[in-house]
Amino acid sequence: MAEQNVDGPVGAGTGTAAESAAAVDPAVGTAAVTGTAVGSRPVAVTIGRCPEPVHDVAVYAFPGMAPFELGVVVEVFGLARPELIGLLAAPWYGLKVCADRPGTPLDAVGGFALTARHGLDELAAADTVVVPGVPNVFGGVGAPPGRQAGDVSPALVEALRTAHGRGARIVSICSGAFALAAAGLLDGRKATTHWRYAELLQQRYPAVRVDPDVLYVDNGDVLTSAGSAAGIDLCLHLVRRDHGAKVANTVARRFVVAPHRDGGQAQLVEAAVRPVEAEDDGIARSMQWALDHLSSPLAVSQLARAARMSDRSYLRHFTARNGTSPMRWVVTQRIAASLALLESPEGTVEEIAAAVGFENAAAFRHHFGRVMRTSPTAYRRSFGRGVA
């Protein structure tokens, strides 16, 4: 079984074992992945260097983890990103993979092991803490020794409380919400998790207001997301909060994903696999028409007409395909279109509201606050180029 050491701000590259041995000097913030090659010779891959200062991100690793969610966090916060040179007005991220017992191989789903170099003391000291899951939510094979199904590491719970108490941002993906709930960080708050776990999370932690239908929930200091791909959406949302839309869009482009999906969008869109039908073509046509006319007043009847469908049929097919209503989707697109305008010094908030199709600045501020968790003025102050 191959063993991986993952740590630090990462990029990509290859080198000899000697080169990597020189590259893992912790003083320069680098790390190495090791494995086996033909003839059992060790293979070392140098994975990056991070500029100072950094915003420290710590991600929790545990036995039996599925690697996808962990990989999402590494991809967003760990890669070296030369494409962002000249775009950053705030420190980029430095990543540490942390575990209850650093240096101990952690078996992962898929038949490999990962060794985290950092412990929970460093997780508790990070600026942002991400819990991408917890082991054995339902029970059965894989329960950690001495713990029952659904139990969360007491050491992790304590580290989360410590981190939150000192002002760190706490984030969960998928079943990681169980750890946040066990630490009491979700009491009285709205939260989400993978739809398979939502009912169980509510049963175990009745003080949490579980919403099983959304992609992610942003409570400011505590954020939760659904499983798998929703973790990408939440991580990009964090980048957008910290660095603005242009940087987040650049990261998304390298990730080859959509730059923004509203956190309130449905997790699960029930649809059978089928050939593309006329209704699907009509929905796509109507969405493109709406994007071409964002600055104009839009109504469901207009979108339905562009799709050549009745209003009722259009609403049904649009929601089934996109997991949200047509007008909520339109609002999200208008907010997305406004970000680049707010980052420019040109135009007042009132002018930008009109340019992206809001009836007035008050409506723009209301919807912007719901989607972005801040005001247009505050966003411009944080991310505007040449804006005092």
Side-chain angles (χ1 to χ4, degrees), residues 16-387:
T16 65
E19 289 169 339
S20 288
V24 296
D25 180 358
V28 295
T30 58
V33 172
T34 60
T36 55
V38 177
S40 298
R41 292 178 298 168
V43 175
V45 183
T46 302
I47 54 174
R49 176 184 296 265
C50 183
E52 296 291 344
V54 297
H55 175 113
D56 288 319
V57 177
V59 59
Y60 180 63
F62 56 91
M65 77 183 76
F68 182 85
E69 286 82 2
L70 176 67
V72 166
V73 178
V74 172
E75 178 82 12
V76 173
F77 301 111
L79 287 183
R81 294 194 176 276
E83 69 270 23
L84 297 182
I85 292 174
L87 296 181
L88 296 176
W92 192 243
Y93 308 101
L95 180 68
K96 292 180 179 178
V97 180
C98 304
D100 290 82
R101 294 193 297 167
T104 301
L106 306 171
D107 288 341
V109 174
F112 66 96
L114 180 146
T115 301
R117 295 179 177 174
H118 301 282
L120 297 186
D121 54 338
E122 291 174 272
L123 181 142
D127 301 308
T128 293
V129 176
V130 185
V131 184
V134 296
N136 199 45
V137 173
F138 287 124
V141 177
R147 297 216 301 273
Q148 301 297 314
D151 285 352
V152 177
S153 160
L156 174 61
V157 168
E158 184 60 31
L160 290 174
R161 289 172 177 163
T162 299
H164 185 256
R166 40 170 292 278
R169 181 169 59 187
I170 312 296
V171 180
S172 70
I173 301 172
C174 196
S175 63
F178 285 79
L180 275 59
L185 304 184
L186 300 181
D187 288 357
R189 299 184 189 236
K190 182 180 174 182
T192 194
T193 184
H194 194 291
W195 58 267
R196 293 179 65 235
Y197 305 140
E199 184 176 355
L200 188 61
L201 180 64
Q202 189 68 82
Q203 290 173 355
R204 288 185 184 163
Y205 302 100
V208 181
R209 293 162 43 215
V210 179
D211 187 342
D213 297 323
V214 298
L215 292 177
Y216 57 85
V217 175
D218 181 350
N219 288 304
D221 58 334
V222 177
L223 303 91
T224 56
S225 85
S228 301
I232 301 175
D233 296 303
L234 180 54
C235 289
L236 289 175
H237 173 72
L238 292 173
V239 174
R240 188 176 300 105
R241 267 185 45 174
D242 294 343
H243 296 282
K246 186 172 184 179
V247 170
N249 291 350
T250 302
V251 174
R253 188 177 305 115
R254 181 167 170 182
F255 221 130
V256 199
V257 296
H260 179 62
R261 289 198 296 171
D262 182 16
Q265 184 171 326
Q267 286 189 36
L268 182 64
V269 179
E270 295 281 6
V273 177
R274 67 193 191 287
V276 175
E277 299 173 353
E279 290 85 353
D280 291 323
D281 291 339
I283 296 296
R285 184 169 57 249
S286 72
M287 293 170 75
Q288 185 57 56
W289 183 88
L291 292 174
D292 292 340
H293 296 82
L294 274 182
S295 61
S296 303
L298 296 175
V300 170
S301 59
Q302 294 172 289
L303 273 66
R305 188 160 54 249
R308 302 192 185 101
M309 300 167 66
S310 69
D311 290 6
R312 179 175 295 182
S313 178
Y314 181 76
L315 280 168
R316 184 174 68 254
H317 285 286
F318 188 100
T319 303
R321 175 167 174 168
N322 296 293
T324 190
S325 69
M327 296 317 297
R328 183 163 186 166
W329 176 82
V330 167
V331 167
T332 300
Q333 301 312 306
R334 284 174 166 160
I335 296 299
S338 76
L339 299 181
L341 299 178
L342 289 169
E343 291 175 15
S344 165
E346 303 298 326
T348 65
V349 169
E350 290 74 14
E351 290 168 338
I352 292 171
V356 297
F358 286 102
E359 185 177 359
N360 51 54
F364 176 43
R365 291 188 179 97
H366 169 75
H367 290 293
F368 194 96
R370 178 185 63 81
V371 173
M372 300 299 297
R373 311 286 298 186
T374 188
S375 69
T377 300
Y379 182 91
R380 167 170 269 183
R381 189 180 303 119
S382 296
F383 305 114
R385 300 185 299 276
V387 180

